[in-house]
Amino acid sequence: MLLQHPNSPGAANRRIRKRVESPFPQHSGPAASRARPAEVHVAEPAFLLRGTRYTHPRMAQNEVFQYSLMSALMHGVATNGTPISRVLDHGNHGLGTFKSMNGEMIVLDGVCYQMKSDGTVEHIHTPSEVITPFATVTRFNPDVSTRATISSKKDLSALLSKLFPQGKNHFHAIRMDGTFKKIEVRTAGGQCFPRERLVAVAERQTTNTFEAVKGTIIGFRCPAYVMGINVAGDHLHFIDEERQKGGHILEFETEGDVEVGVSLMSKFHLEVPTEDEEFNEASLVYDEDGIEKVEG
């Protein structure tokens, strides 16, 4: 890792890079062929840029872009954020939340939707005017496409491990399209006051069960070592074919085979808030039990 003094020439145009060699063996095969060194790119904070904001380059396919931290959301950092248009610049597939944790976000084919606790879904037509305090996206291009009958989240987890047996320490992007026999979702209703923690917000969440519904599941599998930065394990959101209902998935079962696409990803780009009093003052203490409780 190279750290440069902010007054040195070109400092404002550089970013901090950490390169970690992948543990994957170099052999052929659909999953192994994607194995490559894992990289984490972190934008230099604004105080190093002497007033110049850092701009991420446009993401390549199957690279993760994330704004803010799951631990920040847990500590109620949700009043401010980044425009959703900036998030969409980096990916067409993803999830997150909205200002004050008001609803669940799903990004499907480059379009952002807000799934609210009253059961409605809003298409975000002007993403430059709406902010998100936390989001994860990628330019999705599946490495593997298949059809499968899936009986539960646990069953999906087993399928992913089978498709990428050496992928536990890498990121996955997931998409499923088809008819679902049953889907249980929850949606957050938002903070009652600034800095209200996610655990408290989740206590007022709305849950719904949809049956025999066509739609799409979007999500990510994140490795255990990013718990607190993101959500370790499988994090999934659903939206129906008519774009009228959806939410954060608690459990699901497919009606026969559905289309399943998965990509294995080794590059993770993280941007944290700057000039945000809530973020700067948050303790960001790691809370694995709390994250597992709110994420189901």
Side-chain angles (χ1 to χ4, degrees):
M1 177 181 288
L2 176 64
L3 296 176
Q4 185 176 34
H5 191 279
N7 293 328
S8 62
N13 296 321
R14 295 204 175 115
R15 61 185 170 187
I16 301 168
R17 173 175 292 193
K18 181 179 181 182
R19 187 175 181 86
V20 184
E21 290 300 320
S22 169
F24 282 9
Q26 301 302 308
H27 57 77
S28 60
S33 65
R34 302 294 173 184
R36 50 190 179 273
E39 295 183 0
V40 176
H41 299 162
V42 182
E44 293 185 4
F47 62 84
L48 287 182
L49 302 183
R50 305 179 69 191
T52 302
R53 285 195 175 278
Y54 179 86
T55 301
H56 274 283
R58 196 173 179 88
M59 300 295 101
Q61 289 184 338
N62 296 339
E63 295 184 6
V64 184
F65 173 82
Q66 180 176 313
Y67 178 78
S68 196
L69 307 172
M70 186 63 196
S71 287
L73 212 59
M74 292 295 295
H75 283 78
V77 180
T79 299
N80 305 299
T82 194
I84 289 172
S85 56
R86 289 196 61 245
V87 173
L88 296 179
D89 282 343
H90 298 308
N92 59 7
H93 167 115
L95 44 75
T97 189
F98 295 86
K99 178 181 173 69
S100 302
M101 303 187 217
N102 184 19
E104 311 293 333
M105 175 194 295
I106 190 168
V107 176
L108 176 60
D109 297 327
V111 179
C112 180
Y113 300 91
Q114 181 180 14
M115 300 174 290
K116 300 181 179 181
S117 60
D118 63 4
T120 63
V121 174
E122 181 179 347
H123 175 192
I124 304 301
H125 292 283
T126 55
S128 62
E129 299 176 9
V130 182
I131 65 169
T132 173
F134 177 84
T136 307
V137 295
T138 189
R139 294 189 183 284
F140 183 62
N141 183 27
D143 294 319
V144 173
S145 295
T146 187
R147 292 184 61 82
T149 298
I150 302 170
S151 62
S152 63
K153 287 175 65 177
K154 184 177 180 180
D155 197 22
L156 172 65
S157 180
L159 175 63
L160 296 177
S161 297
K162 180 179 179 181
L163 292 174
F164 295 99
Q166 298 183 71
K168 71 174 184 177
N169 289 326
H170 284 64
F171 296 83
H172 302 65
I174 308 154
R175 174 168 177 164
M176 289 174 277
D177 294 275
T179 300
F180 298 88
K181 183 177 181 179
K182 186 178 182 180
I183 292 189
E184 298 174 26
V185 302
R186 58 95 164 155
T187 49
Q191 294 171 309
C192 291
F193 52 86
R195 306 195 193 204
E196 184 180 21
R197 297 194 173 205
L198 180 53
V199 170
V201 174
E203 289 176 354
R204 301 187 303 272
Q205 68 187 13
T206 301
T207 59
N208 288 288
T209 300
F210 309 131
E211 296 182 352
V213 58
K214 290 184 178 180
T216 301
I217 290 175
I218 291 289
F220 294 94
R221 165 177 282 190
C222 294
Y225 58 81
V226 300
M227 188 62 143
I229 297 174
N230 202 297
V231 179
D234 301 338
H235 184 185
L236 309 168
H237 286 188
F238 169 78
I239 191 167
D240 75 323
E241 191 175 50
E242 288 76 29
R243 313 296 187 249
Q244 294 181 349
K245 54 190 176 185
H248 171 99
I249 292 181
L250 300 175
E251 191 54 273
F252 78 97
E253 180 181 358
T254 69
E255 186 74 66
D257 283 357
V258 295
E259 297 288 342
V260 181
V262 187
S263 63
L264 184 71
M265 302 178 293
S266 62
K267 291 186 178 180
F268 178 75
H269 305 257
L270 173 65
E271 180 176 315
V272 297
T274 60
E275 302 175 12
D276 184 333
E277 187 176 279
E278 288 184 357
F279 183 86
N280 293 342
E281 295 178 358
S283 61
L284 302 182
V285 175
Y286 178 65
D287 183 8
E288 181 175 357
D289 291 340
I291 294 173
E292 290 180 347
K293 179 180 178 181
V294 300
E295 292 302 321

